[in-house]
Each structure stands twice: as structure tokens, then as C-alpha cells.
Amino acid sequence: MSTASTTKTRRDTLNLRIPPAERNPIDCAAESAGKTRTDFILEAARRAAEEALLDRALMVVSPEAYGEFLRRLDSPAQPTVKS
């Protein structure tokens, strides 16, 4: 029976061919962040993937809600009242 401390997460390999001129700043940034090159690149790639997918998010609303949205876009800007 395996415990949480002995269970390994399956990881796939992703190979990159990268010129040293591009790898060196990545290595410096990873080191300054206290991360391995792999962890640094994986975090940056994950963030970029999430942003790319969010840019393509689709919102479905009723015709009434869409009409209200357009009405608000077309109305003049109102000053923000601070309390």
C-alpha cells in the first residue's frame, strides 16, 4: 500500500532545443527566483497557456442581458464617487 509520501506523480518529458543565448537569461531568472529551470519554464508556460485560453472564453447571455450590456457601453461615462 502506498502512502502520499511515497506516491510519485507521473510526469511526461518535453524536450526543447534552445540556443544558449536564450537559455542563459532563463537560467538566471530561474536561479534568482529560487527555482529549477524546469519549474521556471513550466510555470511560465502554464501561465501563458491559461492567458491564451482565457482570451478565447465565450460568455453566453440572454438577449436582454446583452442589450443591457450594449446600452451601458453606449452611455456616457459617469464619474466615480468616492465615499
Side-chain angles (χ1 to χ4, degrees):
M1 177 180 206
S2 50
T3 63
S5 61
T6 60
T7 302
K8 289 188 176 184
T9 303
R10 182 176 178 270
R11 296 183 82 163
D12 290 330
T13 300
L14 175 65
N15 293 312
L16 297 171
R17 291 196 170 107
I18 182 170
E22 292 184 31
R23 188 192 66 224
N24 292 339
I26 292 170
D27 287 348
C28 289
E31 184 178 336
S32 72
K35 298 179 180 186
T36 65
R37 179 191 306 149
T38 298
D39 288 340
F40 185 83
I41 291 172
L42 182 59
E43 182 180 312
R46 185 183 312 111
R47 219 176 17 246
E50 289 171 355
E51 288 175 15
L53 294 173
L54 286 174
D55 283 346
R56 288 157 182 79
L58 175 65
M59 294 182 69
V60 179
V61 297
S62 69
E64 294 80 15
Y66 184 65
E68 176 63 14
F69 173 71
L70 291 178
R71 185 189 68 73
R72 290 182 183 212
L73 282 178
D74 291 339
S75 65
Q78 299 296 317
T80 304
V81 178
K82 295 186 178 187
S83 49

Coordinates of all heavy atoms in Angstrom, one line a residue:
M1 N 0.8 -1.2 0.0 CA 0.0 0.0 0.0 C 0.9 1.2 0.0 O 1.8 1.4 0.8 CB -0.9 -0.1 1.2 CG -1.8 1.1 1.4 SD -2.7 0.9 2.9 CE -4.1 1.9 2.5
S2 N 0.6 2.1 -0.9 CA 1.5 3.3 -1.0 C 0.8 4.5 -0.2 O -0.4 4.6 -0.2 CB 1.8 3.7 -2.4 OG 0.7 3.8 -3.2
T3 N 1.7 5.3 0.3 CA 1.2 6.5 1.1 C 1.5 7.7 0.2 O 2.2 7.6 -0.8 CB 1.9 6.6 2.4 OG1 3.3 6.8 2.1 CG2 1.8 5.4 3.3
A4 N 0.9 8.8 0.6 CA 1.1 10.1 -0.1 C 2.6 10.4 -0.3 O 3.0 11.0 -1.3 CB 0.3 11.2 0.6
S5 N 3.4 10.1 0.7 CA 4.8 10.5 0.7 C 5.6 9.6 -0.3 O 6.7 10.0 -0.7 CB 5.4 10.5 2.1 OG 5.3 9.1 2.6
T6 N 5.1 8.4 -0.6 CA 5.8 7.5 -1.5 C 5.3 7.4 -2.9 O 5.8 6.9 -3.7 CB 5.9 6.1 -0.9 OG1 4.6 5.6 -0.7 CG2 6.6 6.1 0.5
T7 N 4.1 8.0 -3.1 CA 3.5 8.0 -4.4 C 4.1 9.1 -5.3 O 4.2 10.3 -4.9 CB 2.0 8.3 -4.3 OG1 1.4 7.3 -3.4 CG2 1.3 8.2 -5.6
K8 N 4.5 8.7 -6.5 CA 5.1 9.7 -7.4 C 4.1 10.1 -8.4 O 3.4 9.2 -8.9 CB 6.4 9.1 -8.0 CG 7.5 8.9 -7.1 CD 8.8 8.5 -7.9 CE 10.0 8.4 -7.0 NZ 11.2 8.1 -7.7
T9 N 4.1 11.4 -8.7 CA 3.3 11.9 -9.8 C 3.9 11.5 -11.1 O 5.1 11.8 -11.3 CB 3.1 13.4 -9.7 OG1 2.6 13.7 -8.4 CG2 2.2 13.9 -10.7
R10 N 3.1 11.0 -12.0 CA 3.6 10.7 -13.4 C 3.9 12.0 -14.1 O 3.2 12.9 -14.1 CB 2.6 9.9 -14.1 CG 3.1 9.5 -15.5 CD 2.0 8.6 -16.2 NE 2.5 8.2 -17.5 CZ 2.2 9.0 -18.6 NH1 1.5 10.1 -18.5 NH2 2.7 8.6 -19.8
R11 N 5.1 12.0 -14.7 CA 5.5 13.2 -15.5 C 5.9 12.8 -16.9 O 6.6 11.8 -17.0 CB 6.6 13.9 -14.8 CG 6.2 14.5 -13.4 CD 7.3 15.2 -12.8 NE 7.3 16.6 -13.4 CZ 8.0 17.6 -12.8 NH1 8.7 17.4 -11.7 NH2 7.9 18.8 -13.4
D12 N 5.5 13.5 -17.9 CA 5.9 13.3 -19.2 C 7.1 14.2 -19.5 O 7.3 15.2 -18.9 CB 4.8 13.6 -20.2 CG 3.7 12.6 -20.2 OD1 3.9 11.5 -19.8 OD2 2.5 13.0 -20.4
T13 N 7.8 13.8 -20.5 CA 9.0 14.6 -20.9 C 8.7 15.6 -22.1 O 7.9 15.2 -23.0 CB 10.1 13.7 -21.4 OG1 10.5 12.8 -20.4 CG2 11.4 14.4 -21.9
L14 N 9.2 16.8 -22.0 CA 9.0 17.8 -23.0 C 10.4 18.3 -23.3 O 11.1 18.9 -22.5 CB 8.1 18.9 -22.6 CG 8.0 20.1 -23.5 CD1 7.3 19.7 -24.8 CD2 7.2 21.2 -22.8
N15 N 10.9 18.0 -24.5 CA 12.3 18.4 -24.9 C 12.2 19.7 -25.7 O 11.4 19.8 -26.6 CB 13.0 17.3 -25.7 CG 13.2 16.1 -24.9 OD1 13.7 16.1 -23.8 ND2 12.8 14.9 -25.5
L16 N 13.1 20.6 -25.4 CA 13.2 21.9 -26.1 C 14.7 22.0 -26.6 O 15.6 21.7 -25.9 CB 13.0 23.0 -25.2 CG 11.6 23.1 -24.5 CD1 11.5 24.2 -23.5 CD2 10.6 23.4 -25.6
R17 N 14.8 22.5 -27.8 CA 16.1 22.8 -28.3 C 16.1 24.4 -28.3 O 15.3 25.0 -28.9 CB 16.2 22.3 -29.8 CG 16.4 20.8 -29.8 CD 16.9 20.3 -31.1 NE 17.2 18.9 -31.0 CZ 16.5 18.0 -31.5 NH1 15.4 18.2 -32.3 NH2 16.9 16.7 -31.4
I18 N 17.1 24.9 -27.6 CA 17.1 26.3 -27.3 C 18.6 26.8 -27.4 O 19.5 26.2 -26.8 CB 16.5 26.7 -26.0 CG1 16.5 28.1 -25.7 CG2 17.1 25.9 -24.8 CD1 15.6 28.5 -24.5
P19 N 18.8 27.9 -28.1 CA 20.2 28.4 -28.2 C 20.6 28.9 -26.8 O 19.8 29.4 -26.0 CB 20.1 29.6 -29.2 CG 18.7 29.5 -29.8 CD 17.9 28.6 -28.9
P20 N 21.9 28.8 -26.5 CA 22.5 29.3 -25.3 C 22.1 30.7 -25.0 O 21.9 31.1 -23.8 CB 24.0 29.1 -25.4 CG 24.1 28.0 -26.4 CD 23.0 28.2 -27.4
A21 N 22.1 31.6 -26.0 CA 21.7 33.0 -25.8 C 20.3 33.2 -25.2 O 20.1 34.2 -24.5 CB 21.9 33.8 -27.1
E22 N 19.4 32.2 -25.5 CA 18.1 32.3 -25.0 C 18.0 31.6 -23.7 O 17.2 31.9 -22.8 CB 17.1 31.8 -26.0 CG 16.9 32.7 -27.2 CD 15.9 32.2 -28.2 OE1 14.9 31.6 -27.7 OE2 16.0 32.4 -29.4
R23 N 18.8 30.5 -23.5 CA 18.7 29.7 -22.3 C 19.4 30.4 -21.1 O 18.9 30.4 -20.0 CB 19.5 28.4 -22.5 CG 19.3 27.4 -21.3 CD 20.2 26.2 -21.4 NE 21.6 26.7 -21.2 CZ 22.6 26.3 -21.9 NH1 22.4 25.4 -22.9 NH2 23.8 26.7 -21.7
N24 N 20.4 31.2 -21.3 CA 21.1 31.8 -20.2 C 20.3 32.8 -19.4 O 20.3 32.7 -18.2 CB 22.4 32.5 -20.8 CG 23.4 31.5 -21.2 OD1 23.4 30.4 -20.8 ND2 24.3 32.0 -22.1
P25 N 19.5 33.7 -20.1 CA 18.6 34.6 -19.2 C 17.5 33.8 -18.5 O 17.2 34.2 -17.4 CB 18.0 35.5 -20.2 CG 18.5 35.2 -21.6 CD 19.5 34.1 -21.5
I26 N 17.1 32.7 -19.1 CA 16.1 31.9 -18.4 C 16.7 31.2 -17.2 O 16.1 31.2 -16.1 CB 15.5 30.8 -19.3 CG1 14.7 31.4 -20.4 CG2 14.7 29.7 -18.6 CD1 14.3 30.5 -21.6
D27 N 17.9 30.7 -17.3 CA 18.6 30.2 -16.2 C 18.9 31.2 -15.1 O 18.7 30.9 -13.9 CB 20.0 29.5 -16.6 CG 19.8 28.2 -17.4 OD1 18.7 27.7 -17.4 OD2 20.8 27.8 -18.0
C28 N 19.3 32.4 -15.4 CA 19.5 33.5 -14.5 C 18.2 33.8 -13.7 O 18.2 34.0 -12.5 CB 20.1 34.7 -15.1 SG 21.8 34.5 -15.7
A29 N 17.1 33.9 -14.5 CA 15.8 34.3 -13.9 C 15.4 33.2 -12.9 O 14.8 33.4 -11.9 CB 14.8 34.5 -15.0
A30 N 15.5 31.9 -13.4 CA 15.1 30.8 -12.6 C 15.9 30.8 -11.3 O 15.3 30.6 -10.2 CB 15.3 29.5 -13.3
E31 N 17.2 31.0 -11.4 CA 18.1 31.0 -10.2 C 17.7 32.1 -9.2 O 17.6 31.9 -8.0 CB 19.5 31.1 -10.6 CG 20.5 31.0 -9.4 CD 21.9 31.1 -9.8 OE1 22.2 30.8 -11.0 OE2 22.7 31.5 -9.0
S32 N 17.4 33.3 -9.8 CA 17.0 34.4 -8.9 C 15.7 34.2 -8.2 O 15.4 34.7 -7.2 CB 17.0 35.7 -9.7 OG 15.9 35.8 -10.6
A33 N 14.8 33.4 -8.9 CA 13.5 33.0 -8.3 C 13.6 31.8 -7.3 O 12.6 31.4 -6.7 CB 12.5 32.8 -9.4
G34 N 14.8 31.2 -7.3 CA 15.0 30.1 -6.4 C 14.3 28.8 -7.0 O 13.8 28.0 -6.2
K35 N 14.2 28.7 -8.3 CA 13.6 27.6 -8.9 C 14.5 26.9 -9.9 O 15.5 27.5 -10.3 CB 12.3 28.1 -9.7 CG 11.3 28.7 -8.9 CD 10.1 29.2 -9.7 CE 9.1 29.9 -8.8 NZ 7.9 30.2 -9.5
T36 N 14.2 25.7 -10.2 CA 14.9 25.0 -11.3 C 14.5 25.5 -12.6 O 13.4 26.1 -12.7 CB 14.7 23.5 -11.2 OG1 13.3 23.2 -11.6 CG2 15.0 22.8 -9.9
R37 N 15.3 25.3 -13.6 CA 15.0 25.7 -15.0 C 13.6 25.1 -15.4 O 12.8 25.8 -15.9 CB 16.1 25.3 -16.0 CG 15.7 25.7 -17.4 CD 16.6 25.1 -18.4 NE 18.0 25.4 -18.1 CZ 19.0 24.5 -18.5 NH1 18.8 23.4 -19.1 NH2 20.3 24.8 -18.2
T38 N 13.5 23.8 -15.1 CA 12.2 23.1 -15.4 C 11.0 23.8 -14.8 O 10.0 24.0 -15.4 CB 12.3 21.6 -15.1 OG1 13.4 21.0 -15.8 CG2 11.0 20.9 -15.3
D39 N 11.1 24.0 -13.5 CA 10.0 24.6 -12.7 C 9.7 26.0 -13.2 O 8.5 26.4 -13.4 CB 10.2 24.6 -11.2 CG 10.2 23.2 -10.6 OD1 9.6 22.3 -11.3 OD2 10.7 23.0 -9.5
F40 N 10.7 26.7 -13.5 CA 10.5 28.1 -14.0 C 9.8 28.1 -15.4 O 8.9 28.9 -15.6 CB 11.9 28.8 -14.1 CG 11.8 30.3 -14.5 CD1 11.6 31.2 -13.5 CD2 12.0 30.7 -15.8 CE1 11.5 32.6 -13.9 CE2 11.9 32.0 -16.2 CZ 11.6 33.0 -15.2
I41 N 10.3 27.3 -16.3 CA 9.7 27.2 -17.6 C 8.3 26.7 -17.6 O 7.4 27.2 -18.2 CB 10.6 26.4 -18.6 CG1 11.9 27.2 -18.9 CG2 9.9 26.1 -19.9 CD1 12.9 26.4 -19.6
L42 N 8.1 25.7 -16.7 CA 6.8 25.1 -16.6 C 5.7 26.1 -16.1 O 4.6 26.2 -16.6 CB 6.8 23.8 -15.7 CG 5.5 23.1 -15.5 CD1 4.9 22.6 -16.9 CD2 5.7 21.9 -14.6
E43 N 6.1 26.9 -15.1 CA 5.3 27.9 -14.5 C 4.9 29.0 -15.6 O 3.8 29.4 -15.7 CB 5.9 28.5 -13.3 CG 5.0 29.5 -12.6 CD 5.7 30.2 -11.4 OE1 6.3 29.4 -10.6 OE2 5.7 31.4 -11.3
A44 N 5.9 29.4 -16.3 CA 5.7 30.4 -17.3 C 4.9 29.9 -18.4 O 4.0 30.6 -18.9 CB 7.1 30.9 -17.9
A45 N 5.1 28.7 -18.9 CA 4.3 28.1 -19.9 C 2.8 27.9 -19.5 O 1.9 28.1 -20.3 CB 4.9 26.8 -20.4
R46 N 2.6 27.5 -18.3 CA 1.3 27.3 -17.7 C 0.5 28.6 -17.7 O -0.6 28.7 -18.1 CB 1.3 26.6 -16.3 CG -0.1 26.3 -15.8 CD 0.0 25.7 -14.4 NE 0.9 24.7 -14.2 CZ 2.0 24.8 -13.5 NH1 2.3 25.9 -12.8 NH2 2.9 23.7 -13.3
R47 N 1.2 29.6 -17.2 CA 0.6 31.0 -17.1 C 0.2 31.4 -18.5 O -0.9 32.0 -18.7 CB 1.6 31.9 -16.5 CG 1.0 32.9 -15.6 CD 2.0 33.8 -14.8 NE 3.3 33.9 -15.3 CZ 4.4 33.5 -14.7 NH1 4.3 32.9 -13.5 NH2 5.6 33.6 -15.2
A48 N 1.1 31.3 -19.5 CA 0.8 31.7 -20.9 C -0.3 30.9 -21.5 O -1.2 31.5 -22.2 CB 2.1 31.5 -21.8
A49 N -0.4 29.6 -21.2 CA -1.5 28.8 -21.7 C -2.8 29.2 -21.1 O -3.8 29.3 -21.8 CB -1.2 27.3 -21.3
E50 N -2.9 29.5 -19.8 CA -4.1 30.0 -19.2 C -4.5 31.3 -19.8 O -5.7 31.5 -20.0 CB -3.9 30.1 -17.7 CG -3.8 28.8 -16.9 CD -3.3 28.9 -15.5 OE1 -3.0 30.0 -15.0 OE2 -3.3 27.9 -14.8
E51 N -3.6 32.2 -20.0 CA -4.0 33.5 -20.6 C -4.5 33.3 -22.0 O -5.5 34.0 -22.4 CB -2.7 34.4 -20.6 CG -2.4 35.0 -19.2 CD -1.1 35.8 -19.3 OE1 -0.7 36.2 -20.4 OE2 -0.5 36.0 -18.2
A52 N -3.9 32.5 -22.8 CA -4.3 32.2 -24.1 C -5.7 31.6 -24.2 O -6.6 32.0 -25.0 CB -3.3 31.3 -24.9
L53 N -6.0 30.7 -23.2 CA -7.3 30.1 -23.2 C -8.4 31.1 -22.7 O -9.5 31.1 -23.2 CB -7.3 28.8 -22.3 CG -6.5 27.7 -22.9 CD1 -6.3 26.6 -21.9 CD2 -7.0 27.2 -24.2
L54 N -8.0 31.9 -21.7 CA -9.0 32.9 -21.2 C -9.3 33.9 -22.2 O -10.5 34.4 -22.2 CB -8.4 33.6 -19.9 CG -8.4 32.7 -18.7 CD1 -7.7 33.4 -17.5 CD2 -9.8 32.4 -18.2
D55 N -8.4 34.3 -23.1 CA -8.7 35.2 -24.2 C -9.7 34.7 -25.2 O -10.3 35.4 -25.9 CB -7.4 35.5 -25.0 CG -6.5 36.5 -24.2 OD1 -7.0 37.1 -23.2 OD2 -5.3 36.6 -24.6
R56 N -10.0 33.4 -25.1 CA -10.9 32.8 -26.0 C -12.2 32.3 -25.3 O -12.9 31.5 -25.8 CB -10.3 31.6 -26.8 CG -9.2 32.1 -27.8 CD -8.2 31.1 -28.1 NE -7.2 31.5 -29.0 CZ -6.2 32.3 -28.7 NH1 -6.0 32.7 -27.5 NH2 -5.3 32.7 -29.6
A57 N -12.4 32.8 -24.1 CA -13.5 32.4 -23.3 C -14.8 32.9 -24.0 O -14.8 34.0 -24.5 CB -13.4 32.9 -21.9
L58 N -15.8 32.1 -23.9 CA -17.1 32.5 -24.5 C -18.1 32.7 -23.4 O -18.3 31.8 -22.5 CB -17.6 31.4 -25.5 CG -18.9 31.6 -26.1 CD1 -18.9 32.8 -27.0 CD2 -19.3 30.3 -26.9
M59 N -18.8 33.8 -23.4 CA -19.8 34.1 -22.4 C -21.2 34.0 -23.2 O -21.3 34.7 -24.2 CB -19.6 35.4 -21.8 CG -18.4 35.5 -20.9 SD -18.2 37.1 -20.1 CE -19.6 37.0 -18.9
V60 N -22.1 33.3 -22.7 CA -23.4 33.2 -23.3 C -24.4 33.9 -22.3 O -24.5 33.5 -21.1 CB -23.8 31.7 -23.5 CG1 -25.2 31.7 -24.1 CG2 -22.8 31.0 -24.4
V61 N -25.1 34.9 -22.8 CA -26.1 35.6 -22.0 C -27.4 35.7 -22.8 O -27.4 35.5 -24.0 CB -25.6 37.0 -21.6 CG1 -24.3 36.9 -20.8 CG2 -25.3 37.9 -22.8
S62 N -28.4 36.1 -22.1 CA -29.7 36.3 -22.7 C -29.7 37.5 -23.6 O -28.9 38.4 -23.4 CB -30.8 36.4 -21.7 OG -30.7 37.7 -21.0
P63 N -30.6 37.6 -24.6 CA -30.7 38.8 -25.4 C -30.9 40.1 -24.6 O -30.4 41.1 -24.9 CB -31.9 38.5 -26.3 CG -32.0 37.0 -26.4 CD -31.6 36.6 -25.0
E64 N -31.7 39.9 -23.5 CA -31.9 41.1 -22.6 C -30.6 41.5 -21.9 O -30.3 42.7 -21.9 CB -33.0 40.7 -21.6 CG -34.3 40.5 -22.1 CD -34.5 39.0 -22.7 OE1 -33.6 38.2 -22.4 OE2 -35.5 38.8 -23.4
A65 N -29.9 40.6 -21.4 CA -28.6 40.9 -20.7 C -27.6 41.6 -21.7 O -26.9 42.5 -21.4 CB -28.0 39.7 -20.1
Y66 N -27.6 41.0 -23.0 CA -26.7 41.6 -24.0 C -27.1 43.0 -24.4 O -26.3 43.9 -24.5 CB -26.7 40.7 -25.2 CG -25.7 41.1 -26.3 CD1 -24.3 41.1 -26.0 CD2 -26.1 41.6 -27.5 CE1 -23.4 41.6 -27.0 CE2 -25.2 42.0 -28.5 CZ -23.9 42.0 -28.2 OH -23.0 42.4 -29.2
G67 N -28.4 43.2 -24.5 CA -28.9 44.5 -24.8 C -28.6 45.5 -23.7 O -28.2 46.7 -24.0
E68 N -28.7 45.1 -22.4 CA -28.3 46.0 -21.3 C -26.8 46.3 -21.3 O -26.3 47.4 -21.1 CB -28.6 45.3 -20.0 CG -28.2 46.1 -18.7 CD -28.9 47.4 -18.6 OE1 -29.9 47.7 -19.3 OE2 -28.4 48.2 -17.7
F69 N -26.0 45.3 -21.7 CA -24.5 45.5 -21.8 C -24.2 46.5 -22.9 O -23.4 47.4 -22.6 CB -23.9 44.1 -22.1 CG -22.4 44.2 -22.4 CD1 -21.5 44.4 -21.4 CD2 -22.0 44.0 -23.7 CE1 -20.1 44.5 -21.7 CE2 -20.6 44.0 -24.0 CZ -19.7 44.3 -23.0
L70 N -24.9 46.4 -24.0 CA -24.6 47.4 -25.1 C -25.1 48.7 -24.7 O -24.4 49.7 -25.0 CB -25.4 46.9 -26.4 CG -24.8 45.7 -27.1 CD1 -25.6 45.3 -28.3 CD2 -23.3 45.9 -27.4
R71 N -26.2 48.8 -24.0 CA -26.8 50.1 -23.6 C -25.8 50.8 -22.6 O -25.5 52.0 -22.8 CB -28.1 49.9 -22.8 CG -28.7 51.3 -22.4 CD -30.0 51.1 -21.5 NE -29.6 50.6 -20.2 CZ -29.0 51.3 -19.2 NH1 -28.7 52.6 -19.5 NH2 -28.7 50.8 -18.1
R72 N -25.2 50.0 -21.7 CA -24.2 50.6 -20.8 C -22.9 51.0 -21.5 O -22.3 52.0 -21.2 CB -23.9 49.6 -19.7 CG -25.0 49.5 -18.7 CD -24.7 48.5 -17.6 NE -25.8 48.3 -16.7 CZ -25.7 48.1 -15.4 NH1 -24.5 48.1 -14.8 NH2 -26.8 47.9 -14.7
L73 N -22.5 50.3 -22.5 CA -21.3 50.6 -23.3 C -21.5 51.9 -24.0 O -20.6 52.8 -24.2 CB -21.0 49.5 -24.3 CG -20.2 48.3 -23.8 CD1 -20.0 47.3 -24.9 CD2 -18.9 48.7 -23.1
D74 N -22.8 52.1 -24.5 CA -23.1 53.3 -25.3 C -23.4 54.5 -24.5 O -23.3 55.7 -25.0 CB -24.3 53.0 -26.2 CG -23.9 52.1 -27.4 OD1 -22.7 51.9 -27.7 OD2 -24.9 51.4 -27.9
S75 N -23.6 54.3 -23.2 CA -24.0 55.5 -22.4 C -22.7 56.3 -22.0 O -21.6 55.7 -21.9 CB -24.7 55.0 -21.1 OG -23.9 54.3 -20.3
P76 N -22.8 57.6 -21.7 CA -21.7 58.4 -21.3 C -21.1 57.9 -20.0 O -21.8 57.4 -19.1 CB -22.2 59.8 -21.2 CG -23.6 59.8 -21.7 CD -24.1 58.4 -21.8
A77 N -19.8 58.1 -19.9 CA -19.1 57.7 -18.7 C -19.6 58.5 -17.5 O -19.8 59.7 -17.7 CB -17.6 57.8 -18.9
Q78 N -19.6 57.9 -16.3 CA -20.1 58.6 -15.1 C -18.9 58.8 -14.2 O -18.1 57.8 -14.1 CB -21.2 57.9 -14.5 CG -22.4 57.8 -15.3 CD -23.1 59.1 -15.6 OE1 -23.2 60.0 -14.8 NE2 -23.5 59.2 -16.9
P79 N -18.7 59.9 -13.5 CA -17.6 60.0 -12.6 C -17.7 59.0 -11.4 O -18.9 58.7 -11.0 CB -17.6 61.4 -12.1 CG -19.0 61.9 -12.4 CD -19.5 61.1 -13.6
T80 N -16.6 58.6 -10.9 CA -16.7 57.7 -9.8 C -16.8 58.5 -8.5 O -16.1 59.5 -8.3 CB -15.4 56.9 -9.7 OG1 -15.2 56.1 -10.9 CG2 -15.4 55.9 -8.5
V81 N -17.8 58.1 -7.7 CA -18.0 58.9 -6.4 C -17.3 58.1 -5.3 O -17.5 56.9 -5.1 CB -19.5 58.9 -6.1 CG1 -19.7 59.6 -4.8 CG2 -20.2 59.6 -7.3
K82 N -16.3 58.8 -4.6 CA -15.6 58.2 -3.5 C -16.4 58.4 -2.2 O -16.9 59.5 -2.0 CB -14.2 58.7 -3.4 CG -13.4 58.4 -4.7 CD -12.0 58.8 -4.5 CE -11.1 58.4 -5.7 NZ -9.7 58.6 -5.5
S83 N -16.4 57.4 -1.4 CA -17.1 57.6 -0.1 C -16.2 57.9 1.0 O -15.1 57.9 0.9 CB -17.9 56.3 0.2 OG -17.1 55.2 0.1

